[in-house]
Amino acid sequence: MANQDALLRVERLVKYFPISRGLIFQKQVGAVHAVDDVSFDIYRGETLGLVGESGCGKSTTGRTILQLYRPTSGHVYYDGQDLVAMKGEKMRAMRKRMQMIFQDPYASLNPRMTVGEIIGEPLVIHNVARGKQMQDRVQDLLKLVGLNPAFSNRYPHEFSGGQRQRIGVARALALQPDLIICDEPISALDVSIQAQVVNLLEDLQRDFNLTYLFIAHDLSMVKHISDRVAVMYLGIIAEITSRDELYAHPLHPYTQALLSAVPIPDPLAEEKRQRIILQGDVPSPVNPPSGCRFRTRCPLATTICAEARPELREVSPGHFVACHLV
Amino acid sequence: MADLFNVQGLETRFRTREGYVHAVNGVSFHLKEGETVGIVGESGCGKSVTVMSTLRLIPTPPGKVTAGQAIYQGKDLLKMSDEEIRHVRGSQISMVFQDPMTSFNPVLTIGRQVAEPLEIHNGMSRAQALERAAEMLKMVGIPNAKDRLNDYPHQFSGGMRQRVMIAMALICTPQVLIADEPTTALDVTIQAQIIELIKRLRDELGMAIIWITHDLGIVAGLAKRVMVMYGGYIIEEALVKELYGHPQHPYTIGLLGSLPRMDEDAHRRLTSIDGLPPVLLENPNYCPFAPRCKFALDHCWNENPQLRTIGPDHTVACWVDPTTGKER
């Protein structure tokens, strides 16, 4: 893995959201520790799955990478250049190369714009194409994502959820980016439609050598689409390794519990399974537990877990775990 | 054993500007004492409307149950007076809904809301009912149950709120629990907690369960029998192992093929089902799945197939035998 070419390198990324009180004289009374010291690489042409439960910071991580949120500290190197230090025109030029697909296909398309305008907007903003040239490109993009090019004059409400998500994919592809951050792109869709969109994403990756950061909470789908998988819990990365290694030999107690909780659509397999049922809820990210973030729900926690924060260590080649007991 | 609950020929329509939407089209099913049955289907397939119709919870207008009967302990729920059905709902048949936030009254304490069914159905005093509510909350795993009676719904997390809802549904020890996607809004580790809880309570209290979900995985480990719905019709019904092992309807086959499985090693391309689920404005004289079906024959476009028995405890509404691609 070490000799692979990293397109994106995230280093000690931290994002706190301030909580302030007071109407006129606002003072900060705390912070939501949304992302707390996260580091990982994404290699060129791979799909890195980022999984975790709601509120674990996976979407914030994605948005902070794209500098949609500016990080509290840390670095994001894209092709060797630090995005955190970048501003203005330089940042704008850089944005061409990384795009995003959002979770909610109903909220992420402007209802007053036609599909053609939505997909063409990035081309206009970045001065790539205008007029007839832009329209031709929009038609190509619509074909590419499996929609009828004649639809470019229609409005988003005329489409189903799956079709809207295809529009979102076309918009992300318009500028021919290298990296697409897919933020739960299928969780709002029905099962039979999910497969359509996932197959489309896989085809596009093969055809255009795209790199994906695939953020999701559906562990079965993440296993299906990813080359490597990172598991997040309460703002930190608990475990990161190749897909096969993670699902065959999960080492972090949280990963083990998470995998055991996923239902398998096969009654014979379900009968044989042993579930690890975690106690309690995820603690608040305003006041995360000391030491290991997972210790309050961990069935194996000992005193050291409350005292020191476990670093993400490489326990076997390419397999990183943040746990004192591994 | 006799059926505890038997629904025959249920039809529900909704009036819309475009015409009457045929949401439920002649659905029949039965439930035995202590049995767990799953109803599976995608959004809009009529799975929730089916059970809501039997309990007369469909807002009328625009909705209307136009045909059918729902026999519970020898009586037709659809013909009962409002007074009578109120005694059934929440006491003998109760429901757990998907969204635990919008299913509670935000300005009443949890204690009041969990205890309310006892005051209404069993005529208990407020104090007695609250005491019982505390026991029930403890049973569903709420820590410090007694102190939390005075808390409001927003003071509970999503998973805890769903536990409270289960406590409320089970406080009168109903014979039937209808669970309408109770874990869809929850994270997977919390979902596992809730499913374990319901399994435990089922074994302790011996109620029958109708579990409505779009997640074929949940039903696999929970139900004894599964019904698959599409376009307001039940299109396949079988015992779980049979349904997952030998699915016969092209829709069921497609649905199972479109799910990635965590326990499979080789990467396989997901078989997607092209097209979209239908919105039926009339009773079609063709199979409602035909427009999306790989196996569709001429017959499928001329006549809507009825459920037929094709094996022990296995019925399917399809003209085609998917193993041969020819008519059955």
Side-chain angles (χ1 to χ4, degrees), chain B residues 64-129:
Chain B
K64 193 166 196 294
V65 180
T66 49
Q69 51 182 21
I71 308 292
Y72 173 74
Q73 292 190 331
K75 278 190 161 172
D76 189 351
L77 299 179
L78 301 178
K79 294 212 174 70
M80 280 184 181
S81 68
D82 289 354
E83 180 66 24
E84 279 176 302
I85 188 128
R86 268 203 294 275
H87 283 298
V88 175
R89 283 198 298 243
S91 143
Q92 294 167 57
I93 305 179
S94 58
M95 249 181 117
V96 177
F97 298 93
Q98 173 175 349
D99 187 348
M101 191 67 238
T102 53
S103 310
F104 284 105
N105 185 336
V107 298
L108 292 181
T109 61
I110 285 296
R112 276 283 304 273
Q113 297 187 61
V114 174
E116 194 181 22
L118 285 176
E119 292 175 44
I120 294 172
H121 296 298
N122 299 17
M124 276 192 192
S125 72
R126 172 76 52 87
Q128 271 179 314

Side-chain angles (χ1 to χ4, degrees), chain B residues 17-91:
Chain B
R17 236 191 275 178
E18 282 81 33
Y20 282 92
V21 171
H22 293 214
V24 180
N25 301 304
V27 164
S28 304
F29 67 90
H30 63 99
L31 185 68
K32 290 190 167 60
E33 232 166 87
E35 188 184 37
T36 303
V37 170
I39 303 181
V40 180
E42 298 180 279
S43 43
C45 74
K47 52 194 192 303
S48 294
V49 178
T50 298
V51 295
M52 302 278 265
S53 300
T54 62
L55 286 183
R56 308 239 304 263
L57 290 171
I58 295 292
T60 312
K64 193 166 196 294
V65 180
T66 49
Q69 51 182 21
I71 308 292
Y72 173 74
Q73 292 190 331
K75 278 190 161 172
D76 189 351
L77 299 179
L78 301 178
K79 294 212 174 70
M80 280 184 181
S81 68
D82 289 354
E83 180 66 24
E84 279 176 302
I85 188 128
R86 268 203 294 275
H87 283 298
V88 175
R89 283 198 298 243
S91 143

